[in-house]
Amino acid sequence: MKQIRINRRAMLQGLGSIAIGLPFLEEMVIAAPKALPEVPVRAFNLFFGLGIPAPLQQDGYAGVLEPLKPLSDKLLILQNVDQVRCDESGINAHFDGASAAFTAEPPNGEAKAGGPSIDQVIRRSAYPNGLPQGMVPTLVAGTFFRRSRVSRYVHSYNEDGTVAATIQEKPRDLFNRVFGSIELAGDSSDVRRQRLRQSVLDSVVDQYQFYTGDRSPLGKSSRARVADHLDRVREFEQRAFQLDAISAEAPRVPPSSKLAHGGQADPGGEGIDMPLDDLTTEWRLMADLYALTIQMDRARFGSLTFLAAGERLRVKGKYEYKGKTHFEFDDATQLNGSGSKGCSHEWWHQFNEKKENQQLRAHAHMKMRELAYFLTALDNEESRDANGRTILENSLITISTESGDGRHNDVKRELSGVFHAITGANGRFKTGQTLDVSAEGIDLYNTMLTGMNSKKHLGPIDREHRPVESILA
């Protein structure tokens, strides 16, 4: 059978806004001789709350960064990044440091950043005429609970400092944002119940049968891969909506998320009780859905947050790593406190470089485990681009946080040594190393933008540009 080249962004189009991208297939790279493989420009900001005190970063992969070690050859760890220029007098780094993450600018009020984030500058530079039709322009999502100021949890901003997209904080909202929802004829008084009568896949069943059937332009292995791919979409839909099955028999209305959202997630800053298993289960579904969206080429820009800046949770439960109990969290009991005084946030205030800091280390290690979970989801066969590299290797994924200390007793120390790591962006930046850059965040970010062929830089126009050339490949 003569094979037909299929566009890399081939999609199954359903009712309304539903669009389900096909996985990468061999038929997508059968092109004219000497044609270069198409690799999309992508940039995502990955944020985690509370930070890693600079002294603990010095331990490298032998310390709290251990969960990132399997990805070490695909990451560039950056030490001694300074965000002091973003200090807001009278406000601690949970706010101004978080605002500086990925923007290198102090906040502009409680609802805006001081300027655009890295991903949005790259987006407008790489796609000045807009992204291909059918894409989510910017995807912002996260699992977070501290909400007092927007920049604690949103980390993708437009040129004027406004948020680049509404953040999706529930897995089923993220699923609907990516795939759309089915609109059925008849009574629409209960949209949620109508949504549950069908899977979004039910609206593309004819196309699915075409691509997997005898008349398909695909080879046998590609047909099987399409079937497996759509099974994954169905699996994530079932997980997001907590359904035992999806069929025309109207499955049960899904229960609410086990975790608090909205105002209930942040009752006056006093924190909430958080079973570790519930936290990681919801985060991993969010991470899986976000990764699936990138794999299907539905999003190329945005941000993902695992816990907000200044997060206040009373975490409890056994923390397992590599099949063993690494630590047992019981923040309120171990801190002998209630309300905000019993939250893991307090371990950062109590940090002392002359002590073991066992609880803080365990929390930071857990955060790295969960970031590694997401990054690993972009570094497998399902994430292979046309050039043979994975999405993780081809994308610019910038990882950061709000603070390099956390004790609120020294602004310079708190906003210096802020943890940063980046991926290689298709060979543009060094990986497999830990570099002491001893640079301001604005110079680091602007060097990254230069490496991504962006003519726009962050910060004041008349500021001297001081490139951090050591990060460039």
Side-chain angles (χ1 to χ4, degrees):
M1 181 180 73
K2 183 180 179 180
Q3 289 184 311
I4 301 172
R5 187 174 191 269
I6 298 175
N7 186 282
R8 176 68 180 89
R9 299 202 66 258
M11 289 190 177
L12 306 185
Q13 299 287 345
L15 299 175
S17 61
I18 293 173
I20 300 173
L22 294 176
F24 179 72
L25 307 169
E26 61 181 18
E27 287 83 0
M28 293 173 174
V29 294
I30 300 173
K34 299 182 181 180
L36 296 175
E38 176 190 356
V39 176
V41 174
R42 308 182 186 96
F44 298 97
N45 304 322
L46 183 57
F47 182 91
F48 65 96
L50 293 175
I52 300 174
L56 300 189
Q57 297 177 37
Q58 301 301 317
D59 296 337
Y61 297 116
V64 300
L65 301 184
E66 179 187 10
L68 296 177
K69 187 175 181 179
L71 299 167
S72 60
D73 62 331
K74 299 176 182 181
L75 295 174
L76 175 62
I77 305 296
L78 303 168
Q79 294 183 341
N80 287 321
V81 179
D82 175 9
Q83 299 277 37
V84 174
R85 70 182 294 274
C86 300
D87 174 54
E88 285 283 298
S89 180
I91 302 178
N92 61 53
H94 296 318
F95 177 38
D96 47 21
S99 298
F102 317 114
T103 71
E105 295 285 0
N108 181 12
E110 295 194 359
K112 294 175 66 178
S117 53
I118 299 169
D119 64 308
Q120 294 303 303
V121 175
I122 296 172
R123 172 192 164 197
R124 286 169 173 76
S125 174
Y127 302 98
N129 298 320
L131 288 162
Q133 186 176 5
M135 299 197 73
V136 178
T138 297
L139 189 63
V140 179
T143 299
F144 65 95
F145 307 92
R146 195 74 171 100
R147 310 179 65 88
S148 61
R149 296 179 175 95
V150 171
S151 61
R152 286 182 183 269
Y153 50 91
V154 173
H155 297 286
S156 187
Y157 293 96
N158 295 315
E159 180 71 28
D160 62 357
T162 56
V163 297
T166 301
I167 189 168
Q168 311 298 318
E169 60 176 299
K170 298 178 183 178
R172 60 189 180 191
D173 291 344
L174 176 59
F175 188 94
N176 279 343
R177 175 75 178 98
V178 173
F179 297 109
S181 57
I182 294 175
E183 297 178 5
L184 301 176
D187 179 22
S188 61
S189 59
D190 190 337
V191 175
R192 184 171 64 170
R193 286 184 180 276
Q194 287 213 14
R195 166 65 180 78
L196 294 175
R197 289 177 185 170
Q198 284 184 285
S199 161
V200 295
L201 296 180
D202 292 336
S203 74
V204 297
V205 65
D206 290 341
Q207 299 164 71
Y208 164 75
Q209 290 173 344
F210 169 72
Y211 276 110
T212 58
D214 294 338
R215 295 173 53 243
S216 173
L218 305 178
K220 183 178 180 180
S221 61
S222 292
R223 292 201 302 270
R225 191 168 186 187
V226 169
D228 289 344
H229 176 71
L230 296 183
D231 283 344
R232 289 180 68 220
V233 175
R234 184 178 291 276
E235 174 200 343
F236 289 135
E237 183 175 36
Q238 290 173 335
R239 287 169 62 191
F241 285 83
Q242 301 181 41
L243 302 175
D244 296 326
I246 298 178
S247 69
E249 281 71 40
R252 62 183 174 84
V253 175
S256 300
S257 168
K258 291 183 178 179
L259 303 186
H261 296 284
Q264 293 180 343
D266 191 14
E270 286 302 302
I272 58 175
D273 295 322
M274 179 58 62
L276 179 62
D277 286 348
D278 290 352
L279 174 64
T280 56
T281 295
E282 181 142 328
W283 156 256
R284 291 187 175 198
L285 175 54
M286 185 74 77
D288 284 338
L289 286 168
Y290 202 102
L292 180 66
T293 303
I294 302 172
Q295 290 168 346
M296 295 194 311
D297 202 21
R298 283 281 279 152
R300 296 180 182 177
F301 301 93
S303 67
L304 182 63
T305 295
F306 178 57
L307 301 182
E311 193 67 84
R312 288 182 178 172
L313 299 174
R314 294 180 291 274
V315 180
K316 189 171 184 177
K318 287 185 178 181
Y319 171 46
E320 303 286 339
Y321 183 70
K322 290 186 175 180
K324 297 180 180 179
T325 299
H326 188 80
F327 190 76
E328 186 155 359
F329 292 118
D330 191 353
D331 287 328
T333 299
Q334 292 163 355
L335 285 163
N336 192 27
S338 60
S340 61
K341 296 301 181 183
C343 293
S344 55
H345 174 277
E346 297 302 300
W347 300 123
W348 272 257
H349 290 330
Q350 295 180 16
F351 173 68
N352 185 332
E353 52 264 56
K354 297 180 181 180
K355 295 185 177 181
E356 187 177 356
N357 306 290
Q358 184 183 28
Q359 292 86 352
L360 190 159
R361 286 177 180 273
H363 276 281
H365 191 281
M366 180 269 290
K367 293 173 194 285
M368 296 303 102
R369 183 190 72 168
E370 298 312 312
L371 296 193
Y373 180 88
F374 169 69
L375 296 172
T376 301
L378 297 177
D379 193 44
N380 52 35
E381 287 304 314
E382 292 292 335
S383 301
R384 193 72 62 183
D385 270 333
N387 65 351
R389 290 175 169 171
T390 65
I391 290 173
L392 182 70
E393 295 169 309
N394 282 328
S395 303
L396 174 61
I397 299 180
T398 307
I399 308 167
S400 190
T401 184
E402 78 256 34
S403 173
D405 188 284
R407 285 177 281 186
H408 300 345
N409 59 1
D410 186 323
V411 168
K412 181 169 174 47
R413 184 173 59 194
E414 189 170 23
L415 288 176
S416 296
V418 180
F419 179 85
H420 281 74
I422 62 174
T423 52
N426 197 9
R428 294 178 176 89
F429 304 107
K430 292 178 180 176
T431 55
Q433 301 182 40
T434 297
L435 292 180
D436 183 343
V437 294
S438 297
E440 291 187 46
I442 189 171
D443 296 315
L444 175 66
Y445 295 178
N446 281 333
T447 304
M448 292 161 57
L449 291 173
T450 298
M452 296 298 292
N453 301 318
S454 172
K455 295 181 179 180
K456 177 176 174 53
H457 285 164
L458 303 177
I461 296 176
D462 58 354
R463 185 182 185 279
E464 178 188 359
H465 183 43
R466 306 163 192 161
V468 186
E469 294 182 351
S470 60
I471 72 170
L472 299 174

